Each structure stands twice: as C-alpha cells, then as structure tokens.
Amino acid sequence: MQKKMTPFDNLCVEVPELFDGLDWSFFDYAHISLRYKYIYVETPKAACSSIKTFLQRIELDDEAFCLPGELVHLRVYSPLLSPVQIGSFRKLLSSPSKYFIFCVVRNPFTRLLSAYLDKIQRNKPEKKKIVETLGIPDEMYFDHLEFGDFVEAVVNNPEKSSDAHWDMQAQHLKYKRVDYDFIARFENIERDVNVISEKIGAPAKFRLDRHGNEATNASRFLKDYYSDEIANRVVAHYNVDFKTFDYSTRWQDAGAG
C-alpha cells in the first residue's frame, strides 16, 4: 500500500518544483489565511511586525490582540497558517478562486540602516554573525560597530553575512517566481494597507497600528550614517532592488520610514 502523503511530504515535493531547487526561505515567511483567502509574504525590516499584528487581529476578530515584542514573529502564537499546515501550497496558487498574494518592500537605504540600528547597535544575535564575518575578536563583540563596517561585511561577504533582515528583497520575495497581486511600500504603508484591507474583505473597524518595539525611525538618521562612498557601495550591492522596485539611487531621496 502506498504511503499517504503528509502535508510536509507535499511541501518537500513542491519546494524544488516551484523554486528550482530546495529553497525553503520563501515558505518561512509566507502567512496564509484560509478565512480571507490571502497569502502575505513578509519582508523583515519592512513593517512586518505591524502587518502581522494587523492581520492577526483581523483573523481573530479582536481589535486589541497584540503579541508583545518578538512573540509576534513566532508561528506557534499566530492564528495565520504556514505553508506546511495547508496541505498543498501549489493548490492555493492555482485555485480558481485565487488567493490574494501581497508583500511589502522598503527603500534599500533605510531598510539597511534600520537593520543596523536594530540588529547591530542593540547587540542582538545577528551582530555576532557580522563581527565573525569581519574577523573581529569575541571580546570586542559588544563594542560599537560602525555602520560602514557593517555595510562592508554585507557587500563583501554576502554568503557569510546573509540574513533575512538585509538580504536583497527581490530574491527574498522570489519576485520572478511569485505572481504578486499587490506590492505595498513601507513609505506609503498606511495608504497601502487600506488597499490590502479592501482586497481581502477585512472589516472596516481594523486599522494599522505601528508595532513600535523594533522601530528605528531610520529615515531620520540617514545623514548621520550615510556618505556618498557608503551609498555607492549599497547601490552596487542592492542594484536589483533599486531597479525592481523603482527606488532612487540617491540616499538623500530615501522616503520616510
């Protein structure tokens, strides 16, 4: 008797077929609502905490629901489903009543600075990967790491320093492989969330609240961290993102965030 396929078995078959290889990263960041028929693919450091809280409240029909701090990112606490929980992800993509697929992107200048301010300056676990990439001794782990050094690690050693919080967005979102119905922009998030809300049929009572625990207000500090030299290195490294999502390559033009 043939063994019955489990949801995980189905996913193992679908991953290489959908993405030309065993690349699981997309599935780690996909959040699914069977109730409202949408798939949200998060981009770290692009309002993902705020969007998750917004969607979780809608799913539970609870305007006050809010998971504190990092808990908002833990699947075990979220009412939204992961691909492995729904049997066949491919079926959702090809369903006659197609699921609404959306994501959020952010200006590469402010996103990278936000990642630095949150993950490096605040001495979070991601910092250790960077200091190891730069060859900095362990005893210097909690010392100040300049933004320029962080950028150097990211652009010169992309494989060693790779992290979802500063990886290229087009690659992270599998932009060429996934047919997105809507790409929201961090810089216009309040307006774009209204579009998302209308598309998924969410009750009008729900509004986006900025989940401030990880907010860095990076756009306010661009001039304190960017020079033309650093900006040129960022543009060269994130060139695909600048072109794909139509962002200006002048750091002075980076939108509010």
Side-chain angles (χ1 to χ4, degrees):
M1 181 180 295
Q2 187 175 7
K3 178 185 175 183
K4 184 178 180 180
M5 294 282 282
T6 68
F8 184 74
D9 291 333
N10 285 329
L11 200 59
C12 286
V13 172
E14 291 180 355
V15 168
E17 292 179 353
L18 289 169
F19 298 115
D20 293 332
L22 291 173
D23 186 347
W24 291 84
S25 59
F26 176 88
F27 294 89
D28 290 337
Y29 297 100
H31 304 266
I32 303 164
S33 171
L34 300 182
R35 180 180 182 184
Y36 288 96
K37 297 188 180 301
Y38 68 76
I39 302 170
Y40 161 56
V41 184
E42 68 171 288
T43 303
K45 303 312 302 177
C48 64
S49 298
S50 299
I51 296 292
K52 285 179 188 175
T53 299
F54 173 70
L55 296 175
Q56 289 167 2
R57 288 175 175 175
I58 294 170
E59 196 73 9
L60 296 174
D61 195 23
D62 184 351
E63 295 175 76
F65 183 79
C66 184
L67 292 168
E70 297 291 332
L71 294 184
V72 70
H73 301 300
L74 298 185
R75 292 279 195 175
V76 67
Y77 297 120
S78 176
L80 302 176
L81 301 179
S82 65
V84 76
Q85 293 174 283
I86 50 86
S88 173
F89 189 72
R90 178 169 47 202
K91 184 177 179 180
L92 292 190
L93 296 180
S94 59
S95 171
S97 54
K98 185 178 181 298
Y99 275 52
F100 180 68
I101 308 176
F102 67 95
C103 62
V104 182
V105 297
R106 185 175 185 177
N107 187 302
F109 288 128
T110 57
R111 181 170 179 259
L112 188 60
L113 178 56
S114 181
Y116 169 77
L117 295 174
D118 180 31
K119 304 301 179 180
I120 306 302
Q121 276 204 348
R122 293 172 179 172
N123 287 310
K124 291 187 176 180
E126 291 85 355
K127 182 176 181 180
K128 187 170 179 59
K129 181 189 296 184
I130 290 295
V131 297
E132 288 176 347
T133 299
L134 291 170
I136 296 175
D138 287 344
E139 59 267 22
M140 295 177 62
Y141 176 71
F142 287 104
D143 286 0
H144 182 64
L145 183 68
E146 297 290 342
F147 181 59
D149 294 329
F150 168 67
V151 172
E152 178 184 346
V154 171
V155 305
N156 289 341
N157 301 279
E159 292 185 3
K160 290 183 178 180
S161 64
S162 177
D163 188 283
H165 296 90
W166 51 78
D167 282 347
M168 282 180 275
Q169 295 171 86
Q171 178 179 323
H172 169 83
L173 294 167
K174 302 294 185 289
Y175 180 76
K176 292 184 177 180
R177 304 286 295 177
V178 177
D179 184 18
Y180 285 97
D181 295 293
F182 186 63
I183 298 178
R185 298 173 83 88
F186 179 90
E187 295 76 21
N188 303 316
I189 195 62
E190 284 80 9
R191 181 195 68 190
D192 286 354
V193 160
N194 289 335
V195 175
I196 293 169
S197 185
E198 180 179 345
K199 290 290 186 180
I200 67 175
K205 64 182 179 180
F206 291 100
R207 294 287 183 270
L208 181 74
D209 291 331
R210 299 307 291 265
H211 195 283
N213 185 63
E214 299 171 358
T216 61
N217 297 309
S219 63
R220 299 182 184 179
F221 304 106
L222 288 168
K223 66 180 183 303
D224 297 326
Y225 290 92
Y226 274 99
S227 64
D228 289 340
E229 180 181 357
I230 291 176
N232 289 339
R233 294 171 72 79
V234 171
V235 170
H237 183 69
Y238 291 98
N239 186 50
V240 172
D241 281 352
F242 281 103
K243 288 184 176 180
T244 300
F245 304 115
D246 195 27
Y247 280 109
S248 168
T249 54
R250 280 174 35 92
W251 65 266
Q252 296 91 341
D253 296 336

